[in-house]
Amino acid sequence: MKKQQRTAALVNETSVRVRFSEVDSMRVVWHGEYIRYFEDGREEFGRRFAGIGYADIARSGYLAPVVDAHLQYKSPLRVNDTAIIETRYIDSEAAKICFEYTIRRADDGEVVATGSTMQVFVDSDYELILLQPDFFAAWRKKWIK
């Protein structure tokens, strides 16, 4: 069953070059590295759309752990391939940050993986925040048109 892609409110792309240390004994990128590529995409997204990077969230007195992650592999990456990570922010009125990802091989544009993550907000005592923190509401007001 094919998952329906949701409409993204904001989109960013970044690229990574596959390092030797990221491949397994089959000479393809080890499956766990793709979650790291999602993280690379989120970090670059946070730099481009300032206000919800990890440091921004921490300065506001919150943390935003990933509580849900989905990943589907389509085609392998190998050493020295360049991967383009498309990170799409999916807007929600809830107190959460949702992203969807498409990773493509740069030289031929083939989709190698797709996935999604969801982060929630917790305070410094790791208590779940049920309403959007003020800094996040302000970020949405600035960036979501």
Side-chain angles (χ1 to χ4, degrees):
M1 174 183 231
K2 185 176 179 181
K3 184 177 177 182
Q4 185 74 10
Q5 191 177 54
R6 296 177 286 180
T7 301
L10 299 169
V11 179
N12 189 62
E13 285 190 355
T14 190
S15 63
V16 295
R17 185 170 207 87
V18 174
R19 299 178 310 162
F20 177 77
S21 63
E22 297 169 344
V23 300
D24 61 18
S25 61
M26 295 179 284
R27 295 180 294 178
V28 299
V29 170
W30 176 67
H31 66 276
E33 293 295 334
Y34 290 87
I35 295 294
R36 186 184 318 264
Y37 297 158
F38 288 178
E39 177 103 9
D40 292 340
R42 284 194 307 278
E43 287 182 357
E44 185 60 31
F45 183 95
R47 283 188 280 277
R48 179 172 176 200
F49 299 104
I52 61 166
Y54 290 117
D56 301 317
I57 294 169
R59 273 193 300 275
S60 297
Y62 298 94
L63 302 169
V66 172
V67 296
D68 189 49
H70 294 269
L71 173 57
Q72 186 173 28
Y73 305 98
K74 309 281 187 181
S75 181
L77 287 169
R78 293 179 170 77
V79 169
N80 291 322
D81 281 346
T82 298
I84 306 298
I85 307 157
E86 179 185 84
T87 305
R88 296 180 304 282
Y89 170 76
I90 308 301
D91 193 36
S92 171
E93 293 294 323
K96 63 183 180 179
I97 305 173
C98 298
F99 289 107
E100 290 182 347
Y101 311 87
T102 300
I103 301 176
R104 291 180 175 80
R105 191 178 307 106
D107 65 353
D108 62 7
E110 183 173 357
V111 174
V112 299
T114 59
S116 62
T117 57
M118 180 176 55
Q119 295 166 261
V120 297
F121 296 104
V122 297
D123 64 18
S124 60
D125 294 322
Y126 300 98
E127 294 294 323
L128 181 65
I129 303 301
L130 299 177
L131 300 175
Q132 286 185 1
D134 290 342
F135 85 92
F136 184 59
W139 178 87
R140 286 181 69 240
K141 185 175 182 179
K142 176 180 178 179
W143 290 106
I144 308 302
K145 307 295 180 206

